[in-house]
Amino acid sequence: MVKFYSKEYTYDYAFPAVSLAYFLRYPNPYSRHVASTDTISRHFDPETQRLTTVRLHLKRSRLPPAVVKLLPKSVMADRAGSDGSTQSFILEKSVVDARQGWMECESRNLDWENVLSVFERHSYRRAVAAPEVAEGLNGATAVTTPANPTAAAGGGGVAGMETPEQTHVAVSVTLKSRIGEQLRKKRQRWGEQASASSVMGGGEESASAALGGWGKQPQQPQQQPQQQQGWFSSWGSGAVRSAIESISLQRTEKSQPKAQKGMSVVLSRLRSGGIQEVLEGMRRDREVEI
């Protein structure tokens, strides 16, 4: 079973400002669990005007108590603290097309993937805000646009803060637990080997029957109980996987709105004081303990 989460919303900022805020979003008051961010590679294609960036995030968190109870001790050993505290590396790839005004971002976890695989995708698209139309006293209409937010805030000089554009965002998260899959694959291989052995042994049984049973191998009475035990174990693993995915989905439903608020904080800092205000906010957020 796989769980999905999706949501769409709009920022009242132009695409250049939102794409810049995306790369400056860690840390913020809603994501202090992000310990570090490193850029692995960055490439700009002059023909397509696209920037491709690969980054690595280190995130610290605590496993929900319900998940800790479901996981075997062998999985938890040397990977989580006694209180369920863990850390995980997140690989992120983003492609920005400044000419067409879109950005595609994908990320996945590199740790705990056997317990839960999380694939997250963000799509950003430029969307021009509709102008406000006001009707005058004489029946005439006047078209107005939002005031210049940068000028109202005393400057800042960040591109994308002075236009009435908006940026549309579509988020999707796929959650899949793989608990018990390796054991299930091993059992499947064992079953295939047992079937192959029984087919190859069919000729020997016919020969022994012709000899009146001489040389016939004794039956294996444990085979059926082993199959039944494997079936019950497989059912148990499936229930654990479903529970882990459901708990993770609930956690995602709470964390994604916080991520949206975190981006809004960074955008507000860009509006009020530009890059300098964002960097100062990062410094303050790092000083606060998780």
Side-chain angles (χ1 to χ4, degrees):
M1 184 66 67
V2 180
K3 300 294 184 182
F4 297 96
Y5 170 89
S6 63
K7 185 178 181 180
E8 296 186 10
Y9 50 89
T10 301
Y11 288 116
D12 291 327
Y13 295 87
F15 175 76
V18 175
S19 58
L20 176 60
Y22 179 84
F23 290 101
L24 299 174
R25 71 189 191 281
Y26 293 141
N28 63 69
Y30 295 93
S31 63
R32 295 193 180 103
H33 62 287
V34 180
S36 64
T37 297
D38 297 291
T39 300
I40 298 177
S41 65
R42 178 165 286 168
H43 171 71
F44 178 74
D45 190 336
E47 295 184 2
T48 61
Q49 296 290 304
R50 294 178 181 177
L51 176 67
T52 302
T53 306
V54 178
R55 300 195 296 175
L56 188 67
H57 305 290
L58 176 60
K59 297 185 179 182
R60 296 170 180 169
S61 61
R62 287 183 175 85
L63 294 175
V67 173
V68 175
K69 294 179 180 179
L70 293 172
L71 296 179
K73 293 182 179 180
S74 59
V75 175
M76 297 293 295
D78 300 329
R79 301 181 65 180
S82 57
D83 59 347
S85 58
T86 64
Q87 65 179 23
S88 177
F89 286 101
I90 309 298
L91 185 65
E92 172 198 275
K93 180 181 179 180
S94 61
V95 180
V96 184
D97 191 317
R99 178 185 298 171
Q100 299 181 6
W102 59 261
M103 178 171 63
E104 294 287 343
C105 310
E106 297 178 350
S107 63
R108 61 183 179 89
N109 59 308
L110 300 181
D111 302 290
W112 298 90
E113 65 274 10
N114 290 335
V115 177
L116 183 70
S117 176
V118 182
F119 181 80
E120 188 171 337
R121 183 172 183 176
H122 291 244
S123 298
Y124 296 81
R125 293 289 185 276
R126 178 189 294 132
V128 180
E132 298 178 359
V133 180
E135 185 175 353
L137 296 177
N138 57 356
T141 58
V143 179
T144 61
T145 57
N148 187 331
T150 305
V158 178
M161 292 294 177
E162 68 283 354
T163 64
E165 289 184 359
Q166 293 179 326
T167 302
H168 180 75
V169 186
V171 180
S172 65
V173 183
T174 304
L175 306 164
K176 182 179 180 180
S177 177
R178 303 180 185 276
I179 284 288
E181 283 194 359
Q182 294 181 352
L183 183 59
R184 178 179 58 81
K185 292 179 180 179
K186 288 182 180 179
R187 287 176 179 151
Q188 185 177 1
R189 288 196 298 268
W190 292 340
E192 293 174 353
Q193 293 174 0
S195 299
S197 299
S198 62
V199 171
M200 294 177 62
E204 297 179 359
E205 292 181 359
S206 300
S208 62
L211 294 174
W214 289 96
K216 185 176 181 180
Q217 297 294 328
Q219 298 293 329
Q220 301 294 333
Q222 294 84 2
Q223 183 175 0
Q224 184 67 20
Q226 287 179 354
Q227 291 179 354
Q228 292 179 354
Q229 182 180 1
W231 184 87
F232 283 112
S233 299
S234 176
W235 179 87
S237 298
V240 171
R241 287 196 297 269
S242 180
I244 291 176
E245 291 168 354
S246 298
I247 295 172
S248 301
L249 178 60
Q250 295 175 3
R251 198 170 188 178
T252 300
E253 292 172 346
K254 295 179 180 179
S255 63
Q256 284 299 321
K258 292 182 179 179
Q260 180 181 351
K261 292 180 180 179
M263 277 282 291
S264 297
V265 169
V266 177
L267 286 166
S268 178
R269 290 171 177 174
L270 280 173
R271 169 182 286 179
S272 62
I275 299 295
Q276 183 176 356
E277 177 63 23
V278 173
L279 296 178
E280 180 63 22
M282 286 182 174
R283 184 189 63 80
R284 294 193 300 266
D285 294 332
R286 287 194 182 98
E287 292 176 352
V288 179
E289 295 183 359
I290 299 177

